[in-house]
Structure formats: C-alpha cells, structure tokens
Amino acid sequence: MKLEGVAAFLTGGASGLGAASARVLAEAGAIVALLDRDMALAEPLAKELGGVAIQCDVADHESLKAAVDQATAAIGPPRIAVNFAGIDVSQKIASRSKGPHPIESMQREIDINVIGTLDGCALFSEQMMNLEPFEDGERGVLINIASGAAFNGPPGQSVYAASKRAVAGATLPLARDLAPYGIRVMTIAPGFFKTPLAEGVDDRHIDKLISMVPFPKRWGDPRELGELVKFICQNRMLNGETIQIDGAMR
Amino acid sequence: MDIQGLTAVVTGGASGIGAGVTRVLAKAGAKVAILDRNEALGQAMAEEVGGAAFVCDVANDESVQAALAQAREALGAARILVNCAGIDTARKITSRKTGAHAIGPMKRVVDVNLTGTLICCAHASHAMLDLEPLDEDGERGVLINIASIAAFNAPNGQAVYGASKAGVVGAAVPLARDLCRYGIRVMTIAPGLFDTPLAGTMDEALTAKVLRNALFPKRKGRPEELGSLVQHICENQMLNASTIRLDAGFF
C-alpha cells in the first residue's frame, strides 16, 4: 500500500522500536497515532511528527478500545496498525534463591505481550474491514512484534519467550481470518536493538550480546526496524509470515 | 528415569489426552495425581488407576499451589509433571458477522493454556529442586507440556488457541535452560488430532480436512498413543528442551 496520507496506529509508539517506526512511517507520509502508557514521551513525539498521542494500557480491554475509538475519531480508521507495546521480565521459572516465578509479573507480561497484541489485532482489524479497498482489494496491514527469544529463549526468559512465540504463532491463523477482508498480518522478530529496554542491560552483558551477532557485529538501529515495517506495508505479497531481523543472531 | 513407584502429576488428567497419559503412567507403575476441574471425572479416574484426584483450576495460582501440596501429601513428591489441561475456542479474530473477538474467552484460553502451563511448571519444578537425585546423572524430574500442531499451522478461527499453544512451544528451551542445573528436563509434545472430547467439539468439515491432510495413518490419534510418548520421554534421559510432533505427519 502507498503510505501517503494513510492512518497508522502504533501501540508502544512513544519509545524504542515503536518511536523509530512512527518516525519512518511519518516521513513516508503516514499520519501516526501513538498509543502509549507514557504521555510525557508520546505527546512531544506526536507533535513533532504531526500525529496524535493517546494514552493506553494495551492489557486493559476498555482502555485499548477507548484509545482505538479516539484515534479513529482524530485521524480516521487505521490502514496500518503495529503492536509494539511489550515488556520483558527476566526471572527463572524456579530457583533455590528466588523460589517459583511469581504469578503477578508472569500474568502481567502475558497480558501485555499476548493479550494486548491479540486484542489490538481484533480491535484494529474491526476498524479496517469496512474501509474502501485499495488495489488488489487490500484494506490494511497488521504488524506484530515478537522477538528472537520466541525461537531460542535464554535462561530467565521462559515467560517472555512464551509470550513472544505466542505472537509469532498467531500470525498465520490471523492472516487466514482476515484474508477475506484484504487485511494482511505480518510479524517481526527483532534481535538485539538499541532501545531503552536493551540499554537497561549492564555493559558487560551488552558486549557479550553484541559478540553473539554474526554480522553486522553491533546492535540494530531502531530505524532499521522502522524501515522493515515500512517495506512490509508497501509489499503486498508479504503475508502470514514472521521475519527475523537480527544479523543472524540465533 | 524408571517410572515404577514414582509420583506423577497430570493436569487435565481426567479426560481426553490427559486420561490417556494417566492410564499409561499408572500401568507403568507410577502413582498418579490427577489435577482436574471436574471432580466427578477426576475421582472416577483415580479409582480406575489407583491414584488420587484433586480439584484444580490451572489458571489460578492459589488453586495450583493447593492441589500440588495435597498431591504431595497423598502420594509423595512428584518427579513427573504432565500439563494436559487445555481449552479451545474457535472464533475468528474479527468478522463482519461476529465483530471483534470477545476479550473474555480470549483471556481465558491464554490463561488456561499458556499461563496455566507456566504456573504449574513453576510450582512443580520448585518442589523438585531439592529432591534426592534419582541416579548418577543427577536427574531429579521431568516436565512435559502439551502444545498442539496449531502452534505451527493453525487454521482460521484458531488465532488465540494457536497463539497459546505456540507460547507453550516457545517456553520449552528457556524452561529447560532454567532447570538443567537441577537435573530437571523439560519436553513438549505437539499432538495432531486425537480422539478426545475437545476434538469432538470441532466442526466436521475441519475434522475431515485435518484427517485428509495427515500423511499416515489417516485417523484420530488414541490418547494412549500420546501416553506412550510421555512414558518414553520420562524413560529416555537424552530427550530435553525439544518439541515432538505426534500428528501422523500433518502439514
């Protein structure tokens, strides 16, 4: 699809990979709605990009539904929706020192990463399905963000890996559900990118992670992920697939 | 491990695939604790196999902790956990007719199939950490989770179910990494279509399509065939961190 003038909704769009993608899409002519918990970050970015910022907790159905309605009222129904909102809790499933993984953080992580993404797909696609079709009958595209951990989770990442593999696993049936309406569904599984989430990791661990990237030996620039988001929107044959973007780090 | 005389916990062990696992493990000499929501079915199964049944909702952390504690008191410390409890909802993510997928059933499927599996893994493995190793390799226990071929290739209307089961597959490697230092193995089985009450709720056209696409044999699997794979996984120590499809070759 052509990006000029189309509405793009991005959950978690105020920071990290979401913010970089919002920037790339806006530069290509899309009008962006940043659905984020953090309005202090979302508002100035939305202003800079000529879009709108809307407060939203994706794990809360009422909050997400209200945000979708507000965003639609502000910039029109989405042609593009990208589910970036996600969290990462690092804790082993059980250990002698820490006991069993507590239920609260486990539940919160699954509610945001899995339910937030699936509910986003349901609510965004509901808005898309009655839009005028473009060429080939295309009405919209949903892009979900998984992680390399979905396929090879390190220790302490059982819950995160499970949540991200769930996102990857939903791709094909989501695409099948929405194909009759001309809505494509794609998933991106990023490796190690320079985001606030990754910058929280200690330096020694960062060096180790970078050393694990075969080529190029550096962390990814969030803009590079944004470029992939843009490309997926533009190339209609991409559908029902998960793309790993990770410099071959597996 | 040699199953004879060991305690095994089977969630969802009173019906379907879980019942098959319960029967096979009991026949191999295990003391089986059946954790199930359905008290009547659980008791009947416990009587049949000489085990014990405890009412449990795997999506509820407190219920799981209580049931595991009761099981331990009745049958001793568990060395085997098989997470069979699971539910299905067939509904498109959105359609003009039914609108956006309702949040209630979406959350319930993920809570039971994914969070419930992880909760049971957390508490059951924690109870295994300080058990005496069973052998010179230091093996203490094994966790077996039940995913589905829907984790890899789900039909339409199965986005939520497929996601929940893919989550179970994705957890296998990091779970095994978390627990390897304690001598606890973690395996996942991804069954195709089995002769269970859950599969009985599938519409006939989809059932026929799945069976047509199976390479061989073109029939539903028998719960005991899944039980025998569970038994083999328990007995074969080199199996760890992987997901085995048991689907007659379905693509």
Side-chain angles (χ1 to χ4, degrees):
Chain A
M1 100 178 29
K2 292 195 175 68
L3 297 179
E4 189 62 46
V6 306
F9 294 5
L10 300 93
T11 72
S15 66
L17 300 176
S21 300
R23 193 177 292 278
V24 171
L25 292 177
E27 285 169 7
I31 303 154
V32 296
L34 311 178
L35 280 54
D36 207 285
R37 277 186 303 174
D38 189 338
M39 292 309 278
L41 286 175
E43 271 171 349
L45 181 62
K47 198 169 170 201
E48 184 195 332
L49 302 179
V52 293
I54 291 155
Q55 188 150 30
C56 175
D57 174 359
V58 297
D60 176 348
H61 176 70
E62 296 306 323
S63 166
L64 183 55
K65 195 165 173 14
V68 172
D69 290 345
Q70 268 179 275
T72 301
I75 64 169
R79 291 288 188 173
I80 297 165
V82 196
N83 287 301
F84 281 104
I87 60 167
D88 183 2
V89 177
S90 203
Q91 170 144 10
K92 293 194 171 144
I93 196 72
S95 70
R96 285 210 184 93
S97 58
K98 292 193 172 158
H101 194 305
I103 179 67
E104 294 77 14
S105 54
M106 183 189 283
Q107 186 79 54
R108 179 80 184 145
E109 188 159 8
I110 289 173
D111 283 351
I112 292 176
N113 295 2
V114 183
I115 299 289
T117 297
L118 292 173
D119 198 24
C121 287
L123 296 172
F124 296 136
S125 60
E126 188 181 35
Q127 295 289 329
M128 289 173 181
M129 63 174 41
N130 293 316
L131 292 171
E132 274 305 303
F134 294 141
E135 199 181 337
D136 284 335
E138 184 184 34
R139 286 198 169 84
V141 55
L142 301 176
I143 303 175
N144 296 328
I145 306 299
S147 162
F151 305 103
N152 189 352
Q157 299 261 289
S158 304
V159 180
Y160 183 72
S163 72
K164 290 302 192 178
R165 183 66 170 254
V167 171
T171 314
L172 189 52
L174 285 171
R176 285 173 166 154
D177 280 356
L178 298 173
Y181 305 103
I183 299 168
R184 295 185 291 123
V185 185
M186 286 290 292
T187 298
I188 300 174
F192 193 43
F193 276 76
K194 192 173 194 307
T195 63
L197 201 107
E199 283 175 308
V201 176
D202 70 74
D203 286 352
R204 210 171 44 121
H205 199 55
I206 287 174
D207 290 344
K208 193 182 150 203
L209 283 168
I210 289 174
S211 78
M212 287 162 62
V213 186
F215 183 83
K217 237 176 216 338
R218 59 175 172 81
W219 46 14
D221 180 338
R223 259 200 91 87
E224 294 173 301
L225 193 127
E227 292 293 340
L228 180 56
V229 167
K230 182 173 95 176
F231 180 73
I232 288 171
C233 295
Q234 292 168 331
N235 189 323
R236 273 197 297 280
M237 277 307 283
L238 289 170
N239 196 9
E241 170 66 332
T242 298
I243 300 180
Q244 293 187 267
I245 176 165
D246 57 6
M249 180 185 178
R250 304 288 151 87
Chain B
M1 61 177 61
D2 178 3
I3 291 173
Q4 182 66 42
L6 297 185
T7 299
V9 171
V10 183
T11 75
S15 67
I17 277 173
V21 172
T22 298
R23 290 195 176 105
V24 170
L25 290 179
K27 202 171 166 198
K31 295 178 280 181
V32 183
I34 297 141
L35 271 54
D36 207 286
R37 276 186 305 171
N38 189 318
E39 190 171 8
L41 282 179
Q43 289 302 339
M45 181 58 66
E47 249 165 65
E48 180 191 325
V49 302
F54 306 95
V55 176
C56 178
D57 174 2
V58 295
N60 182 315
D61 187 64
E62 285 169 15
S63 170
V64 168
Q65 287 195 56
L68 286 175
Q70 285 174 294
R72 186 180 178 118
E73 195 159 304
L75 301 179
R79 298 290 190 164
I80 299 163
L81 167 72
V82 192
N83 280 309
C84 299
I87 57 173
D88 189 6
T89 171
R91 180 166 181 167
K92 294 198 171 141
I93 196 71
T94 326
S95 74
R96 288 217 180 88
K97 217 163 49 185
T98 56
H101 195 303
I103 186 73
M106 180 190 284
K107 260 191 80 67
R108 181 69 187 157
V109 167
V110 173
D111 283 352
V112 172
N113 294 1
L114 181 51
T115 314
T117 296
L118 293 170
I119 289 172
C120 292
C121 284
H123 292 296
S125 67
H126 185 245
M128 292 175 183
L129 301 183
D130 291 310
L131 298 178
E132 274 303 304
L134 291 165
D135 58 24
E136 63 276 16
D137 288 318
E139 182 170 36
R140 285 197 169 85
V142 57
L143 314 179
I144 302 174
N145 296 328
I146 305 299
S148 162
I149 51 168
F152 307 109
N153 186 350
N156 51 28
Q158 297 259 294
V160 177
Y161 180 76
S164 72
K165 292 299 192 178
V168 172
V169 171
V173 171
L175 284 171
R177 285 177 166 150
D178 281 355
L179 298 171
C180 59
R181 71 175 61 182
Y182 304 104
I184 299 169
R185 295 183 292 125
V186 184
M187 284 291 291
T188 302
I189 300 173
L193 191 59
F194 272 69
D195 193 5
T196 65
L198 193 126
T201 64
M202 265 169 59
D203 73 70
E204 276 175 38
L206 184 57
T207 303
K209 189 180 159 204
V210 171
L211 292 180
R212 207 168 44 242
N213 285 352
L215 300 180
F216 179 84
K218 287 185 192 294
R219 61 164 171 82
K220 292 181 183 176
R222 300 177 187 113
E224 285 71 17
E225 293 172 311
L226 193 133
S228 76
L229 178 56
V230 166
Q231 179 182 348
H232 180 75
I233 288 171
C234 294
E235 291 169 346
N236 190 330
Q237 210 167 53
M238 280 304 285
L239 288 170
N240 196 6
S242 68
T243 298
I244 301 179
R245 295 171 68 126
L246 185 67
D247 62 355
F250 174 84
F251 298 96

